[in-house]
Amino acid sequence: MSVADYMTPRLVVVSPKTTISVAVELMKKNAIHRLPVMAGNQMVGLITHGIIQRAMPSQATSLSVYELNYLLNKTTVDQIMETAVQTVASSAQLETAIATMRKHKIGVLPVMTGDQVVGIITNNDILDAFLNIAGYGQPGIVTRVVVQHDHVGVIFAIGKVLAEHDLSIQTLMVVNHQAEKVIELHVNSERAADVNQVLTAAGFEVQPVSD
């Protein structure tokens, strides 16, 4: 899984001298909260809804609507944008993007190929990626197999048992606990009871899954 697989490639950008009012309208129009700031082909900063909110006077001020509008039309992006922007390579693993966001407590990363911005990835993109990887919403059922004593070939053995009953694994994830592993399977069947019965009869410990 690479960042390129799940990033948003369609970029909406602004120039450094774009006014805050125009940036806000662009965000509203495109239903987004972040805009890379570009000087030609070079990214020089990032402007977000949160940065704009922090830069503008609070509602507790005595400024009128007209004065606030004046500020929005006078202030330009380069006056308040974030210039120390964290980025991620398009070829990087998705896990690298997640780790970078967690480390820097941010929710967005411009995606780079060399020195060119080719996309953007946000925490929502990563949540969508997880749902895709898990096969959420796709036909089939989910079941979990608990492995108390891990050994070589356990996933092969599970797949072999299912294949013998004309069942195939569509997606697979492994959750590591201290004393055990839980293998979560998305199987091409409409009946969880049938899948669980096949696995239990083969000696596997099946963990119930709630809807």
Side-chain angles (χ1 to χ4, degrees):
M1 300 176 294
S2 72
V3 170
D5 293 328
Y6 295 102
M7 71 181 187
T8 300
R10 187 180 66 87
L11 282 176
V12 181
V13 304
V14 291
S15 67
K17 294 304 178 184
T18 302
T19 62
I20 298 303
S21 59
V22 170
V24 169
E25 283 303 313
L26 276 173
M27 290 182 190
K28 287 181 180 178
K29 180 181 178 181
N30 294 279
I32 55 179
H33 300 282
R34 301 102 172 173
L35 297 168
V37 183
M38 305 292 293
N41 293 324
Q42 187 73 31
M43 184 178 67
V44 294
L46 186 73
I47 188 75
T48 70
H49 187 263
I51 290 172
I52 293 171
Q53 282 190 320
R54 291 192 294 273
M56 291 297 102
S58 71
Q59 294 181 348
T61 67
S62 58
L63 292 178
S64 68
V65 172
Y66 301 103
E67 289 170 318
L68 285 173
N69 285 336
Y70 174 77
L71 277 176
L72 289 171
N73 286 302
K74 180 184 177 182
T75 307
T76 55
V77 164
D78 61 349
Q79 293 177 277
I80 64 171
M81 69 183 184
E82 175 62 58
T83 56
V85 182
Q86 297 296 320
T87 64
V88 67
S90 59
S91 59
Q93 289 182 291
L94 190 62
E95 296 94 315
T96 300
I98 296 170
T100 302
M101 288 184 184
R102 293 274 294 167
K103 179 180 178 180
H104 297 280
K105 297 181 174 61
I106 54 178
V108 60
L109 291 169
V111 182
M112 312 293 292
T113 296
D115 60 354
Q116 298 296 306
V117 185
V118 295
I120 198 162
I121 191 161
T122 69
N123 42 17
N124 283 337
D125 293 323
I126 287 169
L127 290 173
D128 288 341
F130 175 79
L131 293 177
N132 177 263
I133 293 164
Y136 183 80
Q138 297 177 12
I141 62 95
V142 174
T143 191
R144 295 189 182 102
V145 175
V146 180
V147 180
Q148 300 287 355
H149 303 289
D150 192 19
H151 58 274
V152 174
V154 64
I155 292 176
F156 172 80
I158 292 171
K160 184 173 182 294
V161 167
L162 292 174
E164 288 170 353
H165 293 80
D166 199 27
L167 297 166
S168 64
I169 300 171
Q170 294 174 305
T171 64
L172 180 151
M173 293 190 294
V174 178
V175 180
N176 290 301
H177 297 296
Q178 287 186 341
E180 64 186 22
K181 285 187 177 181
V182 177
I183 302 171
E184 183 169 295
L185 309 166
H186 193 132
V187 182
N188 68 327
S189 173
E190 297 303 318
R191 287 177 50 81
D194 293 344
V195 175
N196 292 343
Q197 184 177 6
V198 165
L199 290 169
T200 301
F204 294 104
E205 180 184 347
V206 176
Q207 185 181 81
V209 177
S210 301
D211 292 333

